[in-house]
Amino acid sequence: MMIDEALVRELLEAPQDDTALILLEGRAQVAERAALDSDRCRGAVVVLSRGDLVDRLGTPTPSPEDLTRLAASLRDTVAKLGA
């Protein structure tokens, strides 16, 4: 599982607030909320939605350093969950 700045940026640039960063079979990825109901995403764990990401960052245009810090925080949080 690798949550990096590129994945956080991909989520941030998603067109819909309900797009989410998910964990599925040990991999982090970005998926639209509607896809979470599909067989392909069965068992996925939602880490953070785009709307929650913007709220957490406080801006839709964060600095690269903000993305780096948030990616590290998300990695740490997921590691503590044992995912």
Side-chain angles (χ1 to χ4, degrees), residues 7-79:
L7 199 56
V8 174
R9 182 171 302 287
E10 181 183 344
L11 178 60
L12 188 62
E13 292 174 352
Q16 298 178 357
D17 278 348
D18 65 350
T19 300
L21 175 63
I22 64 170
L23 296 178
L24 180 63
E25 298 176 356
R27 285 186 357 173
Q29 59 191 52
V30 174
E32 292 183 10
R33 181 67 72 173
L36 295 179
D37 294 329
S38 70
D39 286 340
R40 181 183 73 81
C41 290
R42 190 172 313 276
V45 174
V46 175
V47 176
L48 187 69
S49 72
R50 184 196 178 278
D52 291 339
L53 172 63
V54 173
D55 287 346
R56 191 166 174 177
L57 290 169
T59 177
T61 55
S63 71
E65 294 80 17
D66 289 337
L67 293 179
T68 299
R69 279 191 294 275
L70 183 58
S73 174
L74 291 172
R75 280 192 304 271
D76 184 55
T77 298
V78 169

